[in-house]
């Protein structure tokens, strides 16, 4: 609530003793001083409201991010888009962002897999900061509970984010819609702002609508979808060192051409 300067001044004027209230010069002096103090109080109140994580924008939100240890710009914040072809199949679970011919892409082996990313959208930045605030509180209190994770994940993605698996070593969070390419480029940053206990692996998944399953919170037959794990083909371990495409082959950069000798296939 904003400060009412007039009410603030009158409340203090009313404290003046009766015998001095007949002096307009004294009352004028007191009002002049109170007016200056009221201006200071109003500005101080504005500072507090300016640094509100729910309403702040621009530089104020940037400052909140610095206080929370989550700046706008991250050196390895975005997965670099490399040459490839987007999956058009609904059953495809590959989530790595790619670019096609003549779109400025490079091969995955050329340089780093990450590039600098800046949160230019205040609302997106705000969602990450809210999740970060929950994570900091969890770390300070050692409160890595389901409720804390739900609160942080909801701050980031709303009710579209659901926990589909939780165990001692892995948590799977699923979005009840498909991730966009822009979201997939920075999804690895989420692990740093969510309250995930040390030693626990965070895995992401997505599906088109309600998640198939039985019981409260799951979809039913014919009205739900199986969720798909978000995978990164650049982090996979091929079964063979032979050049080729697909899960059994090495792809670009590290593969060697097949000599024709079956002994060279070296499948694991």
């Amino acid at each position: 609530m904003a400060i009412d300067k007039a009410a603030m001044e009158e409340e203090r004027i009313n404290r003046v003793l009766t015998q001095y209230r007949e002096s307009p010069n004294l009352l004028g002096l007191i009002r002049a001083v109170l007016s200056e103090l009221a201006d200071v109080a109003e500005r101080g109140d504005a500072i507090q409201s300016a640094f509100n994580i729910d309403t702040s924008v621009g530089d104020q939100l940037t400052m909140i991010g610095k206080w929370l240890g989550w700046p706008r710009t991250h050196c390895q914040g975005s997965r670099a888009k490399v040459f490839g072809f987007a999956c058009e199949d609904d059953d495809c679970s590959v989530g790595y962002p790619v670019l096609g011919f003549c779109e400025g892409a490079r091969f995955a082996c050329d340089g780093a897999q990450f590039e600098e990313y800046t949160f230019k959208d205040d609302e997106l930045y705000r969602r990450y900061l809210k999740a970060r605030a929950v994570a900091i509180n969890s770390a300070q209190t050692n409160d890595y509970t389901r409720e804390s994770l739900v609160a942080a994940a909801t701050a980031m993605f709303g009710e579209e984010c659901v926990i589909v698996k939780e165990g001692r070593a892995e948590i799977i969070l699923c979005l009840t819609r498909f991730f966009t390419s822009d979201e997939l480029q920075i999804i690895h940053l989420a692990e740093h702002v969510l309250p995930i206990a040390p030693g626990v692996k965070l895995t992401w998944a997505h599906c088109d609508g309600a998640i198939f399953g039985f019981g409260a919170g799951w979809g039913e037959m014919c009205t739900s979808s199986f969720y798909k794990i978000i995978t990164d083909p650049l982090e996979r371990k091929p079964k063979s060192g032979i050049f080729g495409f697909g899960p059994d082959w090495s792809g670009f950069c590290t593969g060697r051409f097949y000599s024709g000798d079956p002994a060279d296939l070296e499948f694991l």
Side-chain angles (χ1 to χ4, degrees):
M1 180 181 294
I3 291 179
D4 187 339
K5 294 196 297 181
M8 186 179 187
E9 294 174 13
E10 289 304 317
E11 190 273 333
R12 285 157 177 75
I13 286 291
N14 291 336
R15 299 180 187 179
V16 177
L17 297 177
T18 303
Q19 59 267 37
Y20 298 117
R21 291 187 183 181
E22 300 300 324
S23 173
N25 292 336
L26 177 60
L27 292 179
L29 176 62
I30 294 175
R31 287 184 184 279
V33 174
L34 288 176
S35 178
E36 294 294 329
L37 294 176
D39 286 341
V40 173
E42 185 179 48
R43 291 169 185 168
D45 184 68
I47 292 175
Q48 295 183 22
S49 61
F51 292 98
N52 184 316
I53 195 170
D54 291 315
T55 59
S56 294
V57 296
D59 292 341
Q60 286 77 21
L61 196 61
T62 300
M63 287 299 301
I64 294 175
K66 291 181 178 180
W67 296 335
L68 292 175
W70 192 254
R72 280 190 185 266
T73 300
H74 297 260
C75 295
Q76 296 187 343
S78 175
R79 295 301 299 261
K81 288 187 177 181
V82 299
F83 176 78
F85 300 97
C87 181
E88 302 295 340
D89 190 343
D90 290 340
D91 294 328
C92 180
S93 59
V94 174
Y96 191 80
V98 295
L99 292 175
F101 290 109
C102 305
E103 294 182 346
R106 57 174 175 75
F107 289 114
C109 50
D110 298 335
Q113 297 180 10
F114 296 90
E115 57 191 18
E116 184 177 276
Y117 178 81
T118 299
F119 285 90
K120 297 180 180 179
D121 184 346
D122 279 351
E123 294 309 313
L124 176 61
Y125 189 41
R126 191 190 319 280
R127 295 203 301 268
Y128 270 75
L129 292 183
K130 287 185 175 182
R132 173 75 172 174
V134 176
I136 290 175
N137 182 67
S138 295
Q140 292 178 339
T141 60
N142 200 30
D143 175 30
Y144 293 102
T145 61
R146 179 185 178 91
E147 290 72 21
S148 296
L149 179 57
V150 169
T154 301
M156 290 186 66
F157 294 106
E159 301 299 327
E160 295 176 320
C161 192
V162 180
I163 300 176
V164 294
K165 179 181 179 181
E166 52 185 325
R168 294 184 177 180
E170 182 180 24
I171 291 176
I172 299 179
L173 292 178
C174 180
L175 210 61
T176 55
R177 61 170 175 80
F178 290 136
F179 282 100
T180 66
S181 178
D182 290 340
E183 289 173 332
L184 289 173
Q185 281 186 267
I186 62 172
I187 194 61
H188 62 282
L189 294 177
E191 186 173 354
H192 302 290
V193 297
L194 291 175
I196 305 295
V200 176
K201 178 184 178 182
L202 172 62
T203 299
W204 287 98
H206 62 181
C207 69
D208 188 15
I211 305 170
F212 174 78
F214 300 98
W218 300 91
E220 300 177 354
M221 292 283 191
C222 306
T223 59
S224 59
S225 305
F226 289 102
Y227 67 82
K228 306 172 185 65
I229 299 296
I230 301 298
T231 60
D232 188 342
L234 297 185
E235 295 180 353
R236 66 179 177 83
K237 295 181 179 179
K239 295 181 180 179
S240 170
I242 302 299
F243 172 80
F245 300 101
D248 295 336
W249 310 97
S250 66
F252 286 112
C253 310
T254 59
R256 65 183 187 279
F257 287 103
Y258 177 42
S259 65
D261 185 352
D264 288 342
L265 290 178
E266 299 179 359
F267 284 100
L268 299 179

